[in-house]
Amino acid sequence: MFEIDGIVLGTTPFNEHDSIVNIITKQQYFSFLAKGVLKINSKNASLINLCNYSRFNISKGKTGHSLRNGELLNSFQNAKKDLAGLSALSFIREITFKFIQDDDAIQIFDFLKKSLELLDNNKNPFFVCLLYFAQVLKIAGYGLNVDSCQLCGSKHDICAISYENGGMICKKCYSGNNGKTYSARKLKIFRYLFKVELSKFGEIEFNEDECKELLTDLLVFANNVSQVNIKSYKMLFMN
């Protein structure tokens, strides 16, 4: 038997009372069978609720890994109290599954955990989703260059983001149709999104309208470069 800490990203009913649980740890994705967790009196049921952070005691048998027992570390219950929070959690789960590979788990795990903590502390769902999505894109290899102009390398007079070229564009290189112009404030937000370290993640907050615009733009960009369709954004934007 061994112990493993992880965040529950998905569950699939298996047989009448069992469930297959998919978690992400600091090292990898991991799946195991949780026997009897769908029973009303199951002591392990709370461990496998979606987005719960738990410590699992796992046994390895001939047919695979099975849950023995464990400890709930954080349920992030406050983040699940309304539709806005639940929609944000759904979005976060989907982009993690669709963009993060096994080898990337070590880079994204702490940002994922921090994002859940921010939601649990009543941070705006759009703000948290925008922050986390930028990290996911960066780790998945789709991060935007926010250090200098993508075309000439200049660090001065930045005025736009060229999603086609993958980063910022200066006034000299901007032709009117090779990028989208943004205010100086929004360009600073882009720099924060793609440069922020974990220790300062979520320290600076932006208003909801700013977050909605930039999140929408990044969703379009991500779909264009990866062909990945994020379905949960519709529910997020309904709130």
Side-chain angles (χ1 to χ4, degrees), residues 99 133 218-230:
F99 283 98
F133 192 33
L218 287 180
L219 281 165
V220 173
F221 164 67
N223 179 258
N224 288 338
V225 297
S226 69
Q227 304 304 308
V228 173
N229 183 31
I230 305 301

Side-chain angles (χ1 to χ4, degrees), residues 8-152:
V8 179
L9 292 182
T11 60
T12 304
F14 182 77
N15 295 329
E16 186 177 358
H17 299 297
D18 308 336
S19 186
I20 297 174
V21 183
N22 300 302
I23 67 173
I24 186 170
T25 74
K26 284 193 174 184
Q27 290 76 36
Q28 61 185 342
Y29 286 109
F30 187 77
S31 299
F32 56 84
L33 179 64
K35 296 181 178 179
V37 291
L38 300 182
K39 294 181 179 179
I40 296 177
N41 60 347
S42 171
K43 295 181 180 180
N44 290 330
S46 63
L47 302 177
I48 68 159
N49 288 338
L50 293 178
C51 292
N52 278 7
Y53 178 41
S54 299
R55 178 165 295 143
F56 304 97
N57 293 316
I58 305 293
S59 63
K60 185 177 182 181
K62 294 181 179 179
T63 58
H65 296 99
S66 298
L67 175 65
R68 297 291 298 275
N69 51 49
E71 175 187 358
L72 179 62
L73 301 177
N74 196 335
S75 66
F76 306 106
Q77 197 58 44
N78 197 43
K80 303 171 183 177
K81 67 182 181 180
D82 55 32
L83 186 57
L86 291 171
S87 299
L89 292 175
S90 180
F91 178 83
I92 285 171
R93 287 173 50 232
E94 184 178 6
I95 61 175
T96 304
F97 265 134
K98 290 188 173 179
F99 283 98
I100 298 300
Q101 304 299 314
D102 216 40
D103 294 342
D104 298 327
I106 192 170
Q107 297 182 67
I108 200 61
F109 183 85
D110 287 332
F111 284 105
L112 171 59
K113 183 171 173 286
K114 182 65 175 179
S115 296
L116 298 181
E117 291 170 352
L118 290 173
L119 285 173
D120 204 46
N121 289 325
N122 296 313
K123 291 292 185 180
N124 185 283
F126 286 98
F127 167 67
V128 178
C129 288
L130 176 63
L131 276 176
Y132 183 66
F133 192 33
Q135 294 308 307
V136 167
L137 291 176
K138 182 178 177 180
I139 291 170
Y142 302 117
L144 295 173
N145 171 26
V146 293
D147 291 319
S148 58
C149 176
Q150 280 291 86
L151 299 183
C152 72

